[in-house]
């Protein structure tokens, strides 16, 4: 039996999605890409999930694309490179962007190495918690390539243009601490997994619908014209006003109680 490349463990309202090729420093192959997409699809259907923690087994979060493995199947690579007419993403991009589209917060917890495909996967998360000594690199530059797994969009959102260009052109390696200074990393901690869990507890005190709507709102309005942003704001707020969980929040706040939210109802 083939060992799963991606493990999904449900711990109450939290889903842990774990890259599971520790002997390869969680290097990404085509099977892992497919399993990442499948994992996100299964979690989307679970409305009890309040957050996803994305991490890696072993000594690294992810050391990037496993070229040796991927190049064994050139025909499969070619098929995986073709974008879907419906979504506009190919498999390489979809396996990363699907976490951006998931209607719950996704927190990447990194250690060891966060290179190339791994860095792009971390950038697709809503938050990144890193050890101080984790190594971050847009490693595609080493191979004479550019990042092509949907990572350029969040990279350009998180850091200044000159920083994005420098990292992408040089492939330089920066520590988790330096990545935090540059804006790539949300928080740095010796035990980032514990910090991420504590943050999830804070998120769980809020309506799962408003959290999902906030993610969608900010993702869709970060770029573009103000009029479009205002339209999206109105549409999402109207949905929240009709949300059962919003009613629970209002009632609890007026009574001075802690809200007891039901399952997420927003986001397919």
């Amino acid at each position: 039996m083939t060992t799963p490349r991606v493990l999904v463990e449900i711990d109450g309202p939290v889903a842990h999605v774990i890259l599971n090729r520790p002997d390869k420093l969680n290097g990404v192959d085509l099977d892992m890409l497919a399993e990442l997409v499948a994992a996100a699809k299964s979690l989307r259907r679970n409305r009890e999930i309040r957050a996803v923690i994305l991490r890696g087994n072993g000594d690294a979060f992810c050391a990037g694309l496993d070229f040796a493995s991927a190049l064994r199947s050139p025909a499969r690579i070619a098929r995986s490179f073709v974008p879907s007419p419906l979504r506009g993403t190919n498999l390489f991009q979809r396996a990363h962007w699907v976490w951006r589209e998931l209607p719950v917060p996704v927190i990447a917890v990194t250690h060891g190495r966060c290179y190339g495909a791994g860095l792009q996967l971390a950038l697709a998360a809503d938050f990144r918690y890193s050890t101080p000594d984790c190594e971050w690199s847009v490693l595609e530059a080493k191979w004479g390539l550019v990042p092509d797994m949907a990572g350029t969009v969040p990279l350009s959102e998180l850091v200044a243009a000159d920083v994005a260009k420098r990292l992408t052109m040089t492939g330089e390696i920066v520590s988790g601490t330096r990545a935090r200074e540059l804006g790539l990393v949300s928080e740095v901690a010796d035990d980032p997994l514990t910090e991420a869990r504590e943050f999830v507890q804070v998120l769980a005190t809020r309506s799962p619908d408003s959290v999902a709507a906030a993610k969608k709102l900010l993702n869709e309005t970060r770029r573009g014209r103000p009029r479009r942003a205002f339209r999206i704001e109105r549409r999402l707020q109207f949905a929240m006003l009709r949300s059962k969980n919003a009613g629970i929040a209002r009632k609890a706040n007026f009574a001075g109680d802690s809200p007891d939210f039901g399952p997420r109802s927003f986001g397919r």
Side-chain angles (χ1 to χ4, degrees):
M1 179 180 293
T2 303
T3 302
R5 263 46 172 182
V6 177
L7 304 175
V8 178
E9 298 177 355
I10 307 298
D11 182 13
V14 184
H16 290 259
V17 176
I18 307 165
L19 306 183
N20 191 42
R21 296 187 76 207
D23 57 319
K24 300 292 185 179
L25 296 179
N26 295 317
V28 173
D29 62 3
L30 296 176
D31 289 334
M32 180 179 282
L33 293 173
E35 290 184 30
L36 281 168
V37 173
K41 285 183 178 178
S42 70
L43 293 174
R44 180 180 286 272
R45 294 190 293 267
N46 187 340
R47 292 179 177 268
E48 301 290 342
I49 295 297
R50 303 297 304 275
V52 173
I53 292 178
L54 186 59
R55 55 191 176 91
N57 264 341
D59 295 330
F61 173 69
C62 176
L65 182 67
D66 183 349
F67 279 96
S69 175
L71 292 176
R72 294 192 196 108
S73 307
R76 191 178 172 195
I77 286 181
R79 291 194 301 270
S80 299
F81 200 76
V82 177
S84 161
L86 178 63
R87 297 189 180 277
T89 52
N90 60 28
L91 176 62
F92 296 95
Q93 296 163 330
R94 185 68 187 151
H96 293 66
W97 198 249
V98 71
W99 304 102
R100 172 100 165 200
E101 295 177 332
L102 200 67
V104 296
V106 179
I107 306 165
V109 175
T110 71
H111 70 289
R113 296 179 186 175
C114 185
Y115 291 169
L119 181 143
Q120 293 183 77
L121 181 59
L123 294 185
D126 301 292
F127 308 95
R128 286 150 297 283
Y129 282 58
S130 175
T131 58
D133 58 353
C134 178
E135 296 181 353
W136 289 69
S137 174
V138 185
L139 202 62
E140 286 81 2
K142 176 181 177 181
W143 303 92
L145 302 172
V146 296
D148 66 341
M149 297 187 184
T152 53
V153 172
L155 178 63
S156 66
E157 291 175 349
L158 291 169
V159 303
D162 59 338
V163 174
K165 289 174 183 177
R166 189 182 84 222
L167 295 174
T168 303
M169 291 174 181
T170 67
E172 68 178 279
I173 296 172
V174 299
S175 69
T177 299
R178 179 59 177 154
R180 175 71 178 87
E181 294 170 354
L182 293 174
L184 290 174
V185 168
S186 309
E187 300 290 345
V188 171
D190 292 330
D191 185 358
L193 180 56
T194 295
E195 295 287 325
R197 284 176 168 146
E198 290 177 357
F199 179 52
V200 168
Q201 291 178 0
V202 175
L203 292 171
T205 66
R206 300 295 182 247
S207 163
D209 296 327
S210 67
V211 170
K215 175 172 177 173
K216 185 176 182 67
L217 172 64
L218 295 173
N219 280 347
E220 292 192 6
T221 60
R222 189 173 183 86
R223 303 292 188 202
R225 301 190 177 198
R227 286 176 64 91
R228 177 175 179 271
F230 301 154
R231 184 172 66 251
I232 294 170
E233 281 183 356
R234 292 192 298 269
R235 174 168 57 83
L236 294 177
Q237 188 69 304
F238 182 68
M240 290 304 99
L241 290 171
R242 300 172 62 193
S243 163
K244 182 178 179 180
N245 279 312
I248 292 172
R250 287 193 297 271
K251 184 177 180 180
N253 279 305
F254 283 134
D257 297 329
S258 296
D260 184 13
F261 293 116
R264 174 176 56 83
S265 63
F266 179 83
R268 288 180 284 179

